[in-house]
Amino acid sequence: MSGILWKGKENKIVRMKLYIVAFLLLLLSGCSGKNETAFFPVIDIEAAAGNCKEVMLSRYCSKIEYLPLGSENEFPVGERFFLFPQADGFYIGESSNSKCAYFGTDGKLKNTIGSRGRAKGEYISILHAGADRYGNMVISDFDKLTLYDKNGELKGILDLGLVRSKTEENIQLYDFLPIGDYYAFYGMNPATSNAQTVFVDSLGYVVMVYNPYPDEKGTAYIPMSGKRNTASAYLYKDSLVVADSYSDTLFRFDPQLNRIPAFAVHYGKYKMKSGAERDGSITVNARNSMETESFVLLSLISWADLPFMAPDNRVTSLVYDKATGQATILPYSEAMEQYCFTNDIDGGAPFAPDAVYGDKIYQVIDAIHFIELSKEYGSPEMKEIAKGLDENSNPVLVIATLE
């Protein structure tokens, strides 16, 4: 059973209505043999697990471009980075060097934000970063949330310790996404090992806690026997889509924090079971997922023995086509070490999107890797761009324009 815990005065009648509506929608979707109901679409994970094949990038995109990012200024991007495109540029945050950079649409570095340390404007490690609807950069560290404008000017700091003190919940305030005028922190309640999403306003007040398995009297909460259930989320347009390891529904929150079902997920034989044993199951990790007008790209974590999985890699990617209702697992690319679209637009390297904004999807490739890929794949533009790169160059941004 799903639930919303409101801080302050509870409205039990409203909450009970939400329970009933959610139950009826799920019941109707489960009775349908089609991939779409009158209410919301169904993503069939069980069917997709037997459907791993090439998906051409040209099905969804019409053009691909390559943008070197300010080679005269070094900004190394490691394995843990955050890319947030904007209308007039791109934020890239890098966890290992505790910095974020803002590049213009011409690829030139405009400014950098942050440095290693504990003082104001410094970070031990950037745990997560995001761009709010006003184009400001928001960075989370272990103890604070910091807001900057595009010029790198510090606009405010939110003390996360103070936020924790304002709620009785055991809150993990690390991963977050801006939604409307709120910040949604998603993760796990350490006390129950269950998923939760905490919505905080700009003053640090906890507005709402969404817990899909609330540990309160009168609910169907079942302890997970030591197994952790973590919430994950992605942004689509002006809404937040939230998933967890056990729920068979992805919920969408609008800027006013109204909650509606976005997609039903049919796991079939791969559904996570109660108890500590995960073998044979598949779960959705919305944290590394994205959505466009034509498709949803879901990151999956698989403990099932599937033939297309790369060795020692439990993460795979699924494409749900909104027009056909079909779900397909993308094939693994040894060259990219990721599950990718086939780039049939210009014959370039396989495409594994890192971000979406407006009518474009984006991929970041470090300079040395880009040079190697230009030799392996036939894109003339890749080969030309590679001529101007060396080991000290910044990454290249690959930009695909959606149909």
Side-chain angles (χ1 to χ4, degrees), residues 316-359:
T316 185
S317 296
L318 173 150
V319 177
Y320 172 78
D321 189 291
K322 291 183 176 180
T324 66
Q326 296 299 308
T328 306
I329 300 291
L330 292 176
Y332 184 77
S333 166
E334 295 285 350
M336 300 302 297
E337 297 185 345
Q338 296 182 76
Y339 295 83
C340 303
F341 290 96
T342 297
N343 179 1
D344 62 329
I345 296 176
D346 73 341
F351 191 85
D354 293 309
V356 57
Y357 185 85
D359 65 343

Side-chain angles (χ1 to χ4, degrees), residues 193 223-228 246 275-276 278:
S193 293
M224 292 302 154
S225 305
K227 185 166 53 177
R228 295 181 177 184
Y246 298 91
R278 286 177 168 174

Side-chain angles (χ1 to χ4, degrees), residues 43-53 266-270 280-282 300 302 304-309 316-319 326-330:
I43 300 176
D44 195 333
I45 302 290
E46 184 176 36
N51 185 29
C52 177
K53 62 182 181 182
H266 174 66
Y267 288 104
K269 65 182 179 181
Y270 300 109
S281 65
I282 298 176
L300 304 179
S302 174
D305 185 16
L306 302 174
F308 54 79
M309 296 293 294
T316 185
S317 296
L318 173 150
V319 177
Q326 296 299 308
T328 306
I329 300 291
L330 292 176

Side-chain angles (χ1 to χ4, degrees), residues 11-26:
N11 188 329
K12 295 183 178 180
I13 296 176
V14 171
R15 190 172 60 179
M16 182 59 68
K17 288 181 178 178
L18 288 173
Y19 288 158
I20 294 170
V21 170
F23 174 78
L24 290 174
L25 288 174
L26 291 174

Side-chain angles (χ1 to χ4, degrees), residues 25-81:
L25 288 174
L26 291 174
L27 182 63
L28 286 170
S29 69
C31 294
S32 172
K34 300 179 180 179
N35 275 356
E36 182 113 357
T37 71
F39 300 97
F40 56 105
V42 179
I43 300 176
D44 195 333
I45 302 290
E46 184 176 36
N51 185 29
C52 177
K53 62 182 181 182
E54 282 188 306
V55 178
M56 299 301 169
L57 188 60
S58 63
R59 174 167 180 78
Y60 302 111
C61 300
S62 59
K63 183 173 68 171
I64 195 160
E65 303 168 89
Y66 303 91
L67 181 66
L69 294 177
S71 58
E72 72 276 10
N73 296 289
E74 185 179 0
F75 186 79
V77 175
E79 292 185 358
R80 183 172 170 81
F81 66 89

